[in-house]
Amino acid sequence: MSPSPSPAPAPSAAPPAYAERLGLPWWYWLAGLGLAGLLATELWMGAGGLRSWLPFVLLLPATVAALWWLGRIRVAVRDGELRVDDARLPVRFVADAVPLDAAGRREVLGVGADPLAFVVQRPWVGGAVQVVLDDPADPTPFWVVSSRHPVELAAAIMAARNAG
């Protein structure tokens, strides 16, 4: 009995998904924990008893929690949606997605910025994507979303829109 050839895998109709986390750079963690340790040491200042360890027990975990919270935002394109933290935008309402460098982001979010725009901007991330909307029922003209890979994010948004 001869082995039968295995069937070829079916081509996937789903566009490639995109996901990233807008976490903090490592040196923000180093600086934050260093400053928290310095502040805890200043509060301790050779005291005994409860004051000897309480500043360290409170400040260092609070700093870790605050730094984690600052870098918690996730950006994803999947299931026909652009997801930015808790916000979701169906890609059928996207007219265009424009990748922006730091100068382009500064121009879009500068003095003449539209106050109705939805903005998720992280200063430690240089790039961004401007997502222009085409939804007559929504007063939001566009979204501006920080991204470390704005070209890939814009391509994923447009691919998801074209696929759906």
Side-chain angles (χ1 to χ4, degrees):
M1 189 164 173
S2 66
S4 63
S6 62
S12 175
Y18 177 87
E20 81 173 296
R21 185 170 165 264
L22 303 178
L24 294 165
W26 66 269
W27 56 274
Y28 272 47
W29 285 88
L30 185 64
L33 289 172
L35 288 173
L38 183 64
L39 181 60
T41 303
E42 285 292 322
L43 291 173
W44 165 58
M45 291 299 290
L50 185 64
R51 277 193 48 208
S52 66
W53 56 268
L54 191 60
F56 297 97
V57 168
L58 295 178
L59 287 175
L60 293 177
T63 301
V64 168
L67 291 171
W68 173 85
W69 184 82
L70 284 172
R72 79 191 186 290
I73 300 293
R74 293 186 184 275
V75 177
V77 177
R78 69 173 184 264
D79 301 331
E81 291 181 327
L82 169 61
R83 299 175 182 191
V84 181
D85 199 20
D86 293 335
R88 294 171 186 243
L89 173 67
V91 293
R92 69 178 178 269
F93 296 122
V94 173
D96 196 12
V98 181
L100 304 170
D101 59 358
R105 183 184 69 180
R106 194 170 30 256
E107 183 178 332
V108 169
L109 298 177
V111 176
D114 192 324
L116 296 177
F118 176 79
V119 178
V120 175
Q121 189 261 135
R122 294 294 179 251
W124 54 86
V125 178
V129 174
Q130 181 182 18
V131 181
V132 181
L133 303 183
D134 183 23
D135 183 7
D138 189 357
T140 305
F142 58 86
W143 285 24
V144 177
V145 179
S146 288
S147 175
R148 287 192 173 87
H149 310 285
V151 175
E152 290 87 351
L153 176 57
I157 293 168
M158 296 309 289
R161 184 198 69 178
N162 294 336

